Amino acid sequence: MIAEFNLLSEELMKPDVVSDQRRFVELSKRRASLMTLVELAHKREKAEKTLRESKEILNSEKDQELLELAKQELETAEEELKRLDEAKSDFISIASH
């Protein structure tokens, strides 16, 4: 999906595509339909990274303040992942109708 989005972005900059209005509109619509999913994927990657890092800190750190901070970050990341999954499901449901 991200690769397709990036490919479409590149295609839309090509002079032959820009000069072919029908093709340009077709590719623009497809790219736009992927944009929300790509944004959700990037946010998900960030939340997953935070989740991994927080777990590493919880497994290795001894400082209580850092442990508490990591616990809070872990909870926030878990909530964010849940919210992003729901948003993705909602978007796919709406887009498929």
Side-chain angles (χ1 to χ4, degrees):
M1 166 188 54
I2 294 173
E4 181 183 1
F5 179 84
N6 291 336
L7 180 64
L8 288 168
S9 297
E10 290 175 18
E11 286 291 312
L12 286 166
M13 290 189 288
K14 292 181 178 178
D16 60 315
V17 173
V18 173
S19 65
D20 180 351
Q21 189 170 16
R22 185 187 62 75
R23 178 95 171 117
F24 185 81
V25 169
E26 177 184 312
L27 293 178
S28 294
K29 285 181 180 178
R30 178 64 183 150
R31 183 182 177 276
S33 72
L34 292 174
M35 188 176 306
T36 299
L37 290 175
V38 169
E39 289 171 356
L40 289 171
H42 285 304
K43 289 178 182 179
R44 191 171 211 306
E45 288 173 4
K46 182 179 176 185
E48 287 173 342
K49 180 181 178 194
T50 300
L51 189 72
R52 282 191 308 275
E53 291 171 349
S54 297
K55 286 180 179 180
E56 287 175 16
I57 291 170
L58 289 172
N59 289 329
S60 64
E61 189 58 53
K62 303 291 184 231
D63 183 285
Q64 287 302 315
E65 283 185 43
L66 288 176
L67 287 170
E68 187 59 35
L69 182 61
K71 185 178 176 184
Q72 290 172 357
E73 288 290 322
L74 179 75
E75 291 171 1
T76 300
E78 288 173 338
E79 290 170 6
E80 178 70 358
L81 286 170
K82 182 179 177 185
R83 187 189 68 73
L84 291 168
D85 287 343
E86 289 171 357
K88 179 182 174 185
S89 294
D90 291 347
F91 179 80
I92 291 172
S93 176
I94 292 168
S96 65
H97 288 109

